[in-house]
Amino acid sequence: SGPFRNGKATLWEGGLRVPALLRWPGKLPKGKTSRQVAMSMDFTVTIAAACGVRSSASEPFDGVDLTPLLNGKELERDVFWRINRQGQRAVAVRSGKWKYVREGSIDNLYDLSRDSGESRDLYYDYPDVALALRKKIEAWEAQFVGIKSGPPG
């Protein structure tokens, strides 16, 4: 995980930052790089969009269409993660340069533009930012109310 904190199966940058290589002759220019934040679910949406498939309002896709990157447009978006398993409950959101992590009852806030290794917790320095991000997580999680996770039983 290089200079990043922690590793896989965590919500820290060492568990989230994974480079991606894409090849699409005639559509993607050779040698172009992007620092766009994306998730694996975005690739499903992007491939579907490239094939002309759209989700319905009743069954929306998770993720966003990354095809605007083909025209050089960076996408502004919030990215959410959660871990909910026995003995570990954690949620995180990345919004612009800010990343908020709540692991158990511990809150952390980082400015990833200055601290990609998440070594300086700014939670008490920017409580208004932390609260705004926590509210974004609460709104995101509210979408899952009533959705049963796991295999049908």
Side-chain angles (χ1 to χ4, degrees):
S1 59
F4 306 117
R5 180 176 178 175
N6 227 312
K8 284 297 178 196
T10 71
L11 300 182
W12 304 103
E13 291 299 288
L16 301 173
R17 289 201 186 202
V18 178
L21 301 173
L22 304 175
R23 182 174 183 268
W24 190 4
K27 294 287 186 178
L28 293 175
K30 293 180 181 179
K32 182 177 174 161
T33 60
S34 171
R35 299 186 58 79
Q36 176 66 51
V37 174
M39 300 180 77
S40 57
M41 294 90 109
D42 298 339
F43 292 109
T44 301
V45 178
T46 304
I47 292 166
C51 295
V53 175
R54 303 281 182 244
S55 67
S56 68
S58 63
E59 295 184 38
F61 287 133
D62 287 335
V64 299
D65 179 3
L66 299 173
T67 56
L69 291 171
L70 300 177
N71 298 321
K73 181 181 178 193
E74 295 288 319
L75 304 173
E76 291 185 31
R77 54 137 5 153
D78 296 333
V79 182
F80 299 89
W81 302 271
R82 69 177 168 178
I83 295 174
N84 192 5
R85 57 181 167 237
Q86 187 174 353
Q88 186 179 18
R89 169 90 170 109
V91 292
V93 60
R94 180 170 175 179
S95 183
K97 69 179 187 174
W98 296 106
K99 181 174 175 192
Y100 169 84
V101 180
R102 181 172 181 87
E103 196 165 29
S105 62
I106 310 283
D107 297 296
N108 301 104
L109 180 69
Y110 301 97
D111 176 348
L112 295 179
S113 70
R114 294 184 172 175
D115 180 20
S116 61
E118 297 166 305
S119 62
R120 173 131 165 68
D121 182 7
L122 301 173
Y123 179 78
Y124 293 105
D125 296 337
Y126 297 93
D128 54 332
V129 173
L131 179 60
L133 293 177
R134 185 172 182 171
K135 287 181 185 241
K136 284 186 177 198
I137 286 176
E138 290 168 358
W140 173 71
E141 286 195 315
Q143 298 174 67
F144 303 110
V145 172
I147 296 175
K148 183 179 177 185
S149 63

